[in-house]
Amino acid sequence: MAEKGIRLVSDVEPSRAEEGPGDPRWHHGARVEYAMTRWETATPPRFRDAEATLPEVRAWADRALADPTTAGAMLLTGLTGTGKTHQAYGALRRIAAGGPDRFELIAMNSADMYGHLRPSHVMGASERELRRLSTVQLLFLDDFGTSKTSEWTEEITYRLINYRYNHCLPTVITSNLPARDADGPDLTDFVGDRVASRLAEMVTALVPMIGDDRRRDRRAA
């Protein structure tokens, strides 16, 4: 039969099954697609090309992907225009691209956050917003420490950070203020001692960003 070109069924190699719901690679690809869609929805167009290029930022993102409950917080500090926001969105993109089992993200400028949390004529709206920010899996607070301080902002900040601290939720924070500065204002001056104490334990990656204002450099060029 072989001489006549006839092959037995047993001799035919089975065709490779197409990837589908039964294939782990299919499930991973579906998770990546879902997470990247959520990341893009939460990310402003200006930062859609963001990538985590600093080793410490990439390392934190990998820890958050592997085990969100032990990742803690990442705090990026530095003057305006040093790339803090770009690195932060890049870290969150790296997590999404890893195909996590779950991906929920809220990214917000801290000034906008306090604006949303101020009491309004809608009963319970500010409390619902505070709970949404407190419980989301991944929270990114940009420009933390730039709003005018008051007893109200300090109390709101405490409630938010305290919840995320107690529930071990990964948080990304950028700030123009240094974490500590004996000669000038620092983040502790803005958040108060209670929040500063919790942040000191939460922050597992402190990333000082140095350099000139990149926005001005691009305009000059």
Side-chain angles (χ1 to χ4, degrees):
M1 295 180 65
E3 293 177 355
K4 296 180 179 180
I6 301 175
R7 300 181 64 188
L8 298 175
V9 174
S10 59
D11 293 335
V12 179
E13 296 180 0
S15 61
R16 183 176 177 271
E18 294 184 1
E19 292 184 10
D23 192 313
R25 289 170 296 183
W26 184 90
H27 285 284
H28 181 265
R31 292 197 304 271
V32 170
E33 183 178 359
Y34 172 81
M36 287 299 298
T37 299
R38 296 293 295 267
W39 178 84
E40 290 175 1
T41 300
T43 302
R46 185 172 296 278
F47 298 102
R48 295 277 171 81
D49 64 344
E51 292 186 11
T53 57
L54 298 178
E56 54 267 52
V57 174
R58 294 165 68 95
W60 182 87
D62 291 343
R63 291 198 302 272
L65 176 63
D67 186 359
T69 63
T70 62
M74 177 170 64
L75 173 60
L76 300 104
T77 64
L79 299 177
T80 299
T82 51
K84 302 183 298 296
T85 304
H86 185 96
Q87 290 293 326
Y89 277 115
L92 296 165
R93 179 180 188 170
R94 185 176 177 89
I95 296 171
D101 293 333
R102 177 179 167 225
F103 189 85
E104 297 175 357
L105 169 64
I106 295 177
M108 189 174 293
N109 181 283
S110 63
D112 292 334
M113 178 190 75
Y114 291 119
H116 288 309
L117 292 174
R118 292 194 181 280
S120 69
H121 63 280
V122 180
M123 186 176 296
S126 58
E127 284 295 320
R128 287 193 294 272
E129 178 67 4
L130 179 58
R131 178 157 185 81
R132 186 176 79 99
L133 295 171
S134 299
T135 60
V136 70
Q137 180 199 16
L138 284 161
L139 177 65
F140 170 30
L141 292 178
D142 199 18
D143 284 337
F144 196 55
T146 57
S147 302
K148 185 177 180 180
T149 58
S150 66
E151 290 184 4
W152 178 81
T153 58
E154 188 172 323
E155 186 63 27
I156 287 294
T157 305
Y158 169 75
R159 291 179 61 189
L160 172 66
I161 297 300
N162 184 61
Y163 186 96
R164 300 190 67 80
Y165 167 80
N166 287 337
H167 291 81
C168 303
L169 295 172
T171 308
V172 179
I173 300 171
T174 69
S175 179
N176 292 344
L177 296 173
R180 288 284 184 181
D181 190 343
D183 300 322
D186 57 28
L187 203 53
T188 300
D189 296 327
F190 172 75
V191 300
D193 292 334
R194 293 184 301 170
V195 174
S197 174
R198 286 159 176 78
L199 284 176
E201 187 172 352
M202 283 177 66
V203 172
T204 58
L206 176 59
V207 187
M209 303 285 291
I210 59 175
D212 297 326
D213 188 333
R214 300 179 185 181
R215 300 186 187 99
R216 291 186 178 182
D217 289 345
R218 284 197 294 266
R219 287 198 298 268

